[in-house]
Amino acid sequence: MTSSSSSGATTDVWPALERHLASVAKPARYIGLEDGAPSSSRAPGKAGWLLCYPDTYEIGLPNQGLQILREILNERDDAFAERGYAVWTDLEAVMRREKIPFFSIETHAPAASFDVIAFNLSAELVYTNVLNCVDLAGVPVRTADRADDDPLVIIGGHCTYNPEPIADFVDVVVLGDGEEVVGEMTEVIAEWKREGKTPGSRENVLRALARIEGIYVPSLYDVAYDGEFLAEVTPRYADVPERVEKRTVADLAEWPYPKQQLVPLTEVVHDRLNVEVFRGCTRGCRFCQAGMITRPVRERPADQVRTMIDEGLQRTGYDEVTLTSLSTADFSGIEQTVSDVMNLDTGCGEPGTQPPITLGLPSLRVDAFTVGLANKIQNARRTGLTFAPEAGTWRMRQVINKLIREEDLYGAVGSAYSQGWRRMKLYFLTGLPTETDEDTLGIAELAKNCVELGKEHHKNPSVTVSVGGFVPKPFTPFQWFGQNTEEELRRKINLLRDATRKVHGVNLKWHDSRASVIEGLLSRGDRRLGRVIELVWQRGGTFQEWSEHFSIDLWLDAMAECGLDPDWYIHRHRTEHEVLPWDHLSAGLHKDFLWMDWTDALAEVGLPDCRWTPCYDCGACTGYSIEHIVASATPPAGGSQGTGVDLTQGHTVPVELTPRKVGAQ
Amino acid sequence: MTPPQKERIRIRFSKFGRIRFTSHRDLARVWERSLRRTRLPVSYSEGFSPRPRLRFGLALATSHESCGEYLDVDLVPGTDVDVDTLGGLVDPTLPPGMRVQGVTNVAPGSPSLQESVSSCSWLVEVPDLGPARASEYIEQALAARELPVTRTRKGKEVTDDIRPSLFSLRIAEPDECPPAAQWQPAGVLLRAELATQPRACRPAELLAAFDGAPQEGRVVRLHQWTTVDGDRREPLEVHVTPESGQHLVETLAPPATTHATARAS
């Protein structure tokens, strides 16, 4: 199929699609019509963005990043934005048979009629879906094969901190917060469009985009190897940066988006109002990529949060709101905000006894303060409360810098049981650096003790233990760690199964360790994996996030065919001076800070939260001349986590690192 | 002391176009949000997880359209709702393709929609069928003593006789298609009245009884019927107000159809 972007007029695929929707599963995910989605502001000359989530509508619709960018772009005079989601395999078969291209769900315009097809990547296993969407759009999957007037394929989101495995398939990579950079990109793209996308213009527009801070254009870099090791990644032109810095929005108060959160007509995950209360996290959990790459902490003013909740609930008709962030109990205005939400007038039900708003507080700390907060949410069904101690022993928790003492956990759990909760859910990781069987079994021990605590208050208390296999991620102190093998992860899970099998009240759940292995392959891989991804996609390996579609054999066979060693990529410890595939990118964190934090981890030394302790010069603030924006100068009440209490002695804060401008070599 | 009687209103609404691909379950959520946005004082259930007291009539299959859907809403006792203007307040909160056609008060103690509806009138597009063959099928079906249809229920094959469920069947004129449907029928358009008791007979089951079991195209539920003292009646006769979508209902007022309630024996 051919692009018709120059005219701005397109023939929509709806009439062709409609005939088949009655015969596919959950057709409502292809109709659009969400409340909050305006009719398209498509017009000739405007840069058209198709913002895609490379998984199903139910998973992708709630994505706040895409919703924020959709609004910002549609507010501009020179851009319009619509959305696309991966179609399920039944509809894909119909589309390939009937030659219906990938489409936007607002106007059902063919994807190739947009100037940009952009993807949010929040998980590695969706990479093959990106290729599938691009192919369904009728656009060549490899950048090298694209014509001048083909849409630009752009990616953003957390996976872009190591985009090398999919570098062959994407024209442009955006690092960091998208609010500002999409406007700068639009200006370049709109001009390219006005000038008619003439022969040879694609390279020019890519060069122009590469000059924008936060933009990485993989095709403008040469990659050199030294045997199996990466030697260097170097720009091919002088005006292309040697190192690409992420973008950071300094003040969330200036970006009260989404203003019109989309309300889907069919059931999706997180189907409720979501209000982001802060971005970034300085708890410093060493396994957590999100906490590392989104620094510094930037809080939204509490009164803006209240306004967004109040207006959002009235506009959408939702009776549930979640305050999103990486650690919501740390929000300075949390207690007042919770009280305010509980007292909102919803206009429903009997006066005085109207059903209150359901308030969700994700990612809570493990302490009594948190339980007190949960207790304030009066309508909370007292059935379950979730905590994430992440590791079973204090030693292990010092290694990963999740500084929760056993007293904190038992205090929180005991307090929750005494106030009416009956079921606890505890999240743990296994396969962590330096983990011994004693550490693994500590998980079972904690769970057993929690059940015992529960028996003081209830007849049949239960603790669900959810265990995930640890996958090391770029730009974390654990980026040098060789991931546990699938066999080792399975052995550890079996240890826990044996230890909990006969314990009444403890239910063990675990993730598929085979999926963790492939996630590990892609998270720290290099460009040589491009062919592997392409082969897996060609052999039908889409929707790899879905257990019914995931196939480890597809991946291992493709690796073998490409002569690549999975062990070398996944299970090998990296050394200090090895060139990592993401060294030419920057999340603001100094590599030597991360290395020092890695050696601290191995020495079992914890590092308190820098919001309330001196700066460690990780680079996230200083490099961008911005600071943490926190309304309260004092640490939140309760708990030792991150407050500097009870840390082991002997740790030296690496303040001797010479401050330097990030990006300087 | 008896608890105060709950006030109840009944809303009749239509569902046309793209929105027809939402499920019955999806619609329940759409309505909950819509009524909250309208700030209608809906009564909520007790307990840890209070839910608004809404009751829907017979489920409409995903991808079927309708100009006769119903919803009963329990209100907070003592609530005074102007049923004539409520539709105008609710409509802007509904997704495109859904419209309130009428609202009425329901007398306390009235039977639920689910149990009072006895049959539905349908328009069924059959793209692969010509009028001549269709007439033959109709004649045969109405003359038959039995119309056995086999379907899969909980993994087992079950054969039902749907002849008692077939109240009437004829070829419809294309202009019987409601304007809101915005589509032109291909093949032949059938109009059928099918029983909903003891279980709802679906248009696809009627087609399955035809030779070759032709596939249904688009399907519109025109009416749901109750029988009150021997009279066939809609659960909500729509008021004659232009803004309530009345033109729809007028177009669809049941003509004197060839009823085939008596067996052709």
Side-chain angles (χ1 to χ4, degrees):
Chain A
M1 67 154 291
T2 56
S3 161
S4 57
S5 56
S6 51
S7 67
T10 54
T11 316
D12 72 75
V13 305
W14 179 254
L17 190 67
E18 186 180 29
R19 281 195 283 279
H20 303 284
L21 287 187
S23 60
V24 301
K26 300 185 190 172
R29 49 192 172 182
Y30 308 116
I31 64 175
L33 299 181
E34 301 93 343
D35 192 61
S39 51
S40 178
S41 63
R42 175 186 286 267
K46 284 186 178 183
W49 289 69
L50 182 63
L51 302 171
C52 303
Y53 195 87
D55 206 318
T56 60
Y57 179 84
E58 306 85 287
I59 309 288
L61 179 113
N63 184 276
Q64 296 293 289
L66 289 181
Q67 294 206 20
I68 290 167
L69 298 183
R70 184 186 75 92
E71 289 185 17
I72 290 172
L73 287 165
N74 278 327
E75 284 173 7
R76 294 181 64 95
D77 294 333
D78 57 356
F80 66 93
E82 299 182 14
R83 292 163 295 129
Y85 304 93
V87 297
W88 194 244
T89 49
D90 56 353
L91 184 59
E92 184 195 339
V94 170
M95 288 166 66
R96 292 200 181 274
R97 191 182 70 222
E98 305 287 327
K99 306 210 175 347
I100 300 171
F102 185 51
F103 53 86
S104 78
I105 70 159
E106 279 93 346
T107 64
H108 295 88
S113 70
F114 290 81
D115 303 294
V116 170
I117 304 179
F119 293 91
N120 175 293
L121 299 186
S122 8
E124 293 81 0
L125 290 176
V126 302
Y127 290 172
T128 52
N129 280 16
V130 171
L131 271 61
N132 205 40
C133 291
V134 170
D135 183 61
L136 271 174
V139 174
V141 295
R142 286 190 169 265
T143 55
D145 299 333
R146 288 182 197 141
D148 280 293
D149 62 351
D150 275 326
L152 296 171
V153 175
I154 296 181
I155 58 169
H158 287 185
C159 290
T160 58
Y161 286 95
N162 177 23
E164 293 305 288
I166 45 167
D168 293 344
F169 313 106
V170 298
D171 295 300
V172 177
V173 179
V174 183
L175 299 182
D177 298 332
E179 281 91 341
E180 291 166 343
V181 75
V182 286
E184 296 160 33
M185 295 170 74
T186 292
E187 284 167 22
V188 172
I189 293 163
E191 192 187 334
W192 174 52
K193 187 173 188 172
R194 272 195 303 276
E195 290 173 358
K197 301 186 182 176
T198 50
S201 64
R202 194 177 185 87
E203 173 94 353
N204 294 338
V205 77
L206 291 174
R207 288 274 288 277
L209 288 170
R211 288 193 289 269
I212 298 173
E213 193 173 331
I215 302 290
Y216 169 52
V217 178
S219 62
L220 299 180
Y221 292 76
D222 287 321
V223 181
Y225 299 95
D226 177 8
E228 56 193 354
F229 289 94
L230 185 63
E232 54 177 358
V233 180
T234 43
R236 286 167 39 206
Y237 305 100
D239 60 342
V240 174
E242 283 178 26
R243 188 138 85 134
V244 180
E245 292 293 339
K246 72 163 178 181
R247 293 295 290 259
T248 304
V249 170
D251 189 358
L252 275 198
E254 289 175 14
W255 301 98
Y257 292 89
K259 293 172 178 168
Q260 303 263 310
Q261 188 189 303
L262 295 168
V263 184
L265 298 176
T266 189
E267 205 166 357
V268 300
V269 300
H270 314 310
D271 194 4
R272 58 194 172 223
L273 184 70
N274 293 296
V275 175
E276 186 182 29
V277 295
F278 67 85
R279 209 171 279 181
C281 181
T282 43
R283 288 279 168 196
C285 304
R286 292 176 176 131
F287 55 86
C288 178
Q289 188 191 33
M292 293 288 166
I293 62 178
T294 59
R295 293 173 174 203
V297 171
R298 290 146 291 153
E299 287 194 351
R300 192 181 293 289
D303 54 348
Q304 191 180 62
V305 170
R306 277 192 288 277
T307 307
M308 288 174 78
I309 294 171
D310 205 6
E311 290 178 0
L313 290 173
Q314 285 191 35
R315 193 186 58 72
T316 59
Y318 276 129
D319 61 351
E320 187 176 351
V321 56
T322 285
L323 307 181
T324 64
S325 77
L326 292 170
S327 179
T328 295
D330 288 343
F331 179 54
S332 299
I334 190 64
E335 284 185 282
Q336 188 60 46
T337 306
V338 168
S339 302
D340 290 349
V341 172
M342 288 300 103
N343 293 325
L344 273 181
D345 173 20
T346 56
C348 306
E350 271 96 328
T353 60
Q354 52 182 292
I357 297 299
T358 303
L359 181 62
L361 304 173
S363 310
L364 288 176
R365 295 194 315 261
V366 184
D367 56 38
F369 172 77
T370 293
V371 178
L373 209 55
N375 200 24
K376 274 211 179 103
I377 306 169
Q378 298 179 357
N379 64 322
R381 266 177 284 174
R382 303 247 158 136
T383 49
L385 209 53
T386 302
F387 297 109
E390 308 288 3
T393 58
W394 171 242
R395 188 200 75 79
M396 192 76 258
R397 289 193 296 273
Q398 282 176 300
V399 170
I400 64 174
N401 206 39
K402 183 93 186 187
L403 302 173
I404 302 158
R405 297 167 306 174
E406 262 168 58
E407 303 94 280
D408 297 327
L409 178 64
Y410 297 146
V413 167
S415 153
Y417 278 126
S418 73
Q419 290 175 70
W421 277 278
R422 285 161 194 281
R423 285 205 308 257
M424 303 293 142
K425 197 168 183 184
L426 303 177
Y427 279 113
F428 292 97
L429 290 168
T430 189
L432 291 163
T434 76
E435 183 176 348
T436 63
D437 286 356
E438 192 187 333
D439 296 316
T440 312
L441 289 167
I443 294 172
E445 203 55 39
L446 283 184
K448 276 185 227 171
N449 291 339
C450 287
V451 171
E452 286 307 311
L453 274 173
K455 283 183 184 162
E456 292 171 18
H457 304 280
H458 304 289
K459 234 195 242 164
N460 283 312
S462 86
V463 172
T464 299
V465 173
S466 179
V467 183
F470 171 62
V471 179
K473 294 286 166 95
F475 295 108
T476 67
F478 290 171
Q479 64 183 356
W480 289 280
F481 173 64
Q483 184 177 336
N484 278 193
T485 60
E486 195 224 327
E487 294 73 27
E488 176 66 359
L489 287 175
R490 230 181 318 135
R491 189 186 68 82
K492 285 174 175 163
I493 297 290
N494 283 334
L495 277 180
L496 284 173
R497 288 175 72 182
D498 290 341
T500 57
R501 187 166 286 143
K502 293 205 175 110
V503 184
H504 194 69
V506 176
N507 306 308
L508 185 70
K509 291 184 174 167
W510 59 94
H511 296 197
D512 184 351
S513 48
R514 291 169 307 173
S516 304
V517 164
I518 302 306
E519 185 185 332
L521 172 72
L522 296 172
S523 77
R524 292 187 298 166
D526 56 34
R527 283 198 194 187
R528 289 172 290 196
L529 294 185
R531 180 67 188 141
V532 174
I533 294 167
E534 193 175 31
L535 283 172
V536 171
W537 162 65
Q538 283 169 347
R539 293 164 185 174
T542 55
F543 288 105
Q544 296 293 287
E545 284 270 285
W546 296 70
S547 54
E548 67 261 47
H549 286 288
F550 174 75
S551 160
I552 194 169
D553 292 337
L554 273 180
W555 292 94
L556 296 181
D557 291 350
M559 287 292 283
E561 212 165 309
C562 296
L564 298 172
D565 177 12
D567 276 346
W568 188 85
Y569 278 98
I570 306 166
H571 308 303
R572 178 180 57 90
H573 295 303
R574 275 67 164 167
T575 57
E576 183 178 3
H577 300 293
E578 177 172 339
V579 177
L580 301 170
W582 50 93
D583 275 352
H584 58 297
L585 307 177
S586 168
L589 304 152
H590 299 153
K591 196 175 179 184
D592 44 12
F593 164 79
L594 291 174
W595 180 261
M596 187 155 291
D597 208 28
W598 172 226
T599 56
D600 277 353
L602 297 175
E604 300 168 16
V605 172
L607 199 64
D609 193 319
C610 66
R611 258 171 292 191
W612 305 292
T613 48
C615 174
Y616 307 119
D617 190 27
C618 73
C621 295
T622 49
Y624 304 117
S625 309
I626 52 177
E627 288 184 355
H628 299 300
I629 298 181
V630 184
S632 167
T634 51
S640 65
Q641 188 192 356
T643 55
V645 181
D646 270 357
L647 295 184
T648 47
Q649 66 305 327
H651 171 59
T652 49
V653 175
V655 285
E656 72 276 11
L657 283 177
T658 318
R660 54 162 193 175
K661 181 138 175 45
V662 175
Q665 295 299 300
Chain B
M1 196 182 114
T2 52
Q5 192 65 54
K6 297 274 187 202
E7 316 283 339
R8 180 176 294 177
I9 56 169
R10 176 164 295 167
I11 299 174
R12 176 174 171 163
F13 64 97
S14 58
K15 183 187 184 191
F16 280 103
R18 281 193 217 172
I19 189 87
R20 75 183 188 278
F21 292 113
T22 53
S23 68
H24 187 65
R25 205 175 124 86
D26 292 335
L27 274 208
R29 301 154 67 87
V30 166
W31 273 108
E32 283 183 25
R33 289 192 301 260
S34 172
L35 296 179
R36 272 196 294 269
R37 286 171 65 186
T38 314
R39 297 181 87 81
L40 191 71
V42 177
S43 172
Y44 274 65
S45 61
E46 314 281 328
F48 274 126
S49 183
R51 300 310 315 162
R53 290 194 161 104
L54 309 181
R55 284 186 192 78
F56 293 85
L58 293 167
L60 182 70
T62 303
S63 87
H64 287 178
E65 294 175 302
S66 176
C67 45
E69 294 306 292
Y70 294 94
L71 161 69
D72 282 357
V73 183
D74 284 356
L75 301 175
V76 170
T79 304
D80 190 18
V81 168
D82 181 356
V83 291
D84 295 326
T85 57
L86 184 63
L89 296 174
V90 173
D91 270 346
T93 68
L94 290 174
M98 275 174 71
R99 268 194 90 179
V100 173
Q101 296 173 300
V103 185
T104 189
N105 291 297
V106 178
S110 301
S112 77
L113 287 164
Q114 195 86 36
E115 60 196 35
S116 59
V117 171
S118 53
S119 68
C120 295
S121 295
W122 299 93
L123 279 181
V124 186
E125 181 198 29
V126 192
D128 302 328
L129 200 61
R133 296 278 301 285
S135 298
E136 256 174 62
Y137 286 150
I138 291 170
E139 210 173 299
Q140 284 167 11
L142 293 177
R145 285 172 183 276
E146 284 189 328
L147 285 175
V149 171
T150 303
R151 66 194 167 103
T152 314
R153 187 166 166 271
K154 291 180 184 166
K156 280 187 198 159
E157 297 229 314
V158 185
T159 302
D160 286 320
D161 175 18
I162 64 157
R163 183 61 190 87
S165 301
L166 176 62
F167 290 179
S168 75
L169 178 63
R170 65 179 173 82
I171 294 178
E173 296 304 320
D175 64 3
E176 286 178 57
C177 205
Q182 293 184 330
W183 48 271
Q184 291 301 316
V188 74
L189 192 63
L190 301 179
R191 183 167 178 136
E193 186 179 334
L194 301 174
T196 59
Q197 308 282 1
R199 66 169 196 93
C201 177
R202 287 173 294 135
E205 292 174 308
L206 174 64
L207 297 186
F210 289 4
D211 276 345
Q215 290 296 302
E216 69 178 28
R218 293 181 73 151
V219 177
V220 182
R221 174 145 71 188
L222 297 171
H223 302 281
Q224 300 189 40
W225 300 109
T226 62
T227 310
V228 182
D229 303 329
D231 271 355
R232 199 178 66 143
R233 202 184 277 186
E234 303 196 76
L236 197 173
E237 308 285 347
V238 178
H239 301 289
V240 187
T241 51
E243 66 269 27
S244 66
Q246 176 55 21
H247 63 283
L248 265 180
V249 178
E250 277 174 348
T251 319
L252 298 170
T257 47
T258 45
H259 268 259
T261 39
R263 289 280 182 91
S265 55

